[in-house]
Amino acid sequence: NYLYMTKAYVECNVLDIKEYSLVYRYKGYATFMMKSHESIKDDFTVIENLVGKIDSYEIGEENKYRVILKNNQEVDIKFNNYNQFTLFSLDVD
């Protein structure tokens, strides 16, 4: 997993060639990395490129958001914020 983390960090933070990068995928969820942003709104702007247009979101548990998409689907997203980057996990089928 360290190699995948390194690859994602280089793509998103060092080379700045991607807005987000897949770190790992397990059954039921996937974890991505993106640069740290000033606000959660900026984070969701990047995530929209991955999941589709976001209609609304609300915070659930600590750092976990329930996101409602324009097509009425729901996605749970968990954030882990660090100084240089943010890891976020999505529920996937």
Side-chain angles (χ1 to χ4, degrees), residues 28-79:
Y29 73 95
T31 300
F32 297 86
M33 179 186 289
M34 69 177 147
K35 283 175 133 178
S36 289
H37 293 103
E38 294 291 323
S39 69
I40 192 73
K41 183 178 178 182
D42 294 335
D43 289 342
F44 280 119
T45 300
V46 172
I47 292 170
E48 274 187 331
N49 295 327
L50 184 64
V51 299
K53 199 72 171 157
I54 295 173
D55 186 42
S56 64
Y57 55 88
E58 60 186 41
I59 192 161
E61 303 170 16
E62 183 179 330
N63 295 332
K64 190 171 185 178
Y65 289 79
R66 176 160 303 266
V67 176
I68 310 297
L69 303 176
K70 291 281 186 183
N71 63 4
N72 292 326
Q73 289 184 318
E74 292 184 12
V75 178
D76 289 328
I77 301 175
K78 183 172 182 177
F79 290 94

Side-chain angles (χ1 to χ4, degrees), residues 5 9 13 23-24 31-38 43 63 78-89:
M5 286 284 291
Y9 183 81
N13 292 289
V23 176
Y24 53 83
T31 300
F32 297 86
M33 179 186 289
M34 69 177 147
K35 283 175 133 178
S36 289
H37 293 103
E38 294 291 323
D43 289 342
N63 295 332
K78 183 172 182 177
F79 290 94
N80 292 312
N81 297 308
Y82 301 93
N83 289 335
Q84 299 279 326
F85 60 90
T86 299
L87 294 175
F88 63 97
S89 298

